[in-house]
Amino acid sequence: MTEITHLLITRFNLNYGDLYPYSEAWMEHRMALFERYCLPSVRRQRCTGFAWRVYFDRARTAAYEARVHALLDRPGLHPVFVDSPAEMIADLRAEAPAQGLFLTTRLDNDDVLHPDFVRDVQARARVLAA
């Protein structure tokens, strides 16, 4: 069977030259959406053969860091605090395996996944790789 490394990737509030107005109200609203919808849908995945890297802007998330760690304190769930989108890309490249399939799935912080999403994506990838 083909080895699969599957990462769910969420860019929570990365700084893209202040293209987006990340106020405290925005952050609180997005954290509430994340906690209510996105996080539970990832935790409900029936297939656990994946990791989830949630990227946060280090400076913009300082006040929320303890809350983030408490939410993502489970195997396979990784908060990653970075200073730039380039640092996120470097981190992702470091996660790429030398062999096998490397799947990535972008998941916005307000998205919801079906409980069989990871299983279905991996099954389709195995068929295509065969």
Side-chain angles (χ1 to χ4, degrees), residues 42-116:
V42 172
R43 287 181 175 164
R44 282 193 297 267
Q45 290 303 296
R46 292 187 182 111
C47 172
T48 59
F50 69 95
W52 188 22
R53 299 186 74 74
V54 185
Y55 291 92
F56 294 91
D57 182 286
R58 184 175 282 116
R60 294 176 183 202
T61 311
Y64 295 85
E65 190 169 349
R67 184 172 168 188
V68 165
H69 280 292
L71 290 171
L72 297 172
D73 185 25
R74 290 192 176 181
L77 309 183
H78 306 282
V80 183
F81 299 90
V82 297
D83 293 316
S84 68
E87 191 178 342
M88 177 192 77
I89 297 298
D91 181 74
L92 287 170
R93 285 189 174 137
E95 293 294 315
Q99 297 179 355
L101 295 176
F102 184 43
L103 301 178
T104 61
T105 301
R106 181 175 171 194
L107 178 66
D108 289 342
N109 58 25
D110 62 350
D111 287 350
V112 176
L113 297 177
H114 184 279
D116 292 324

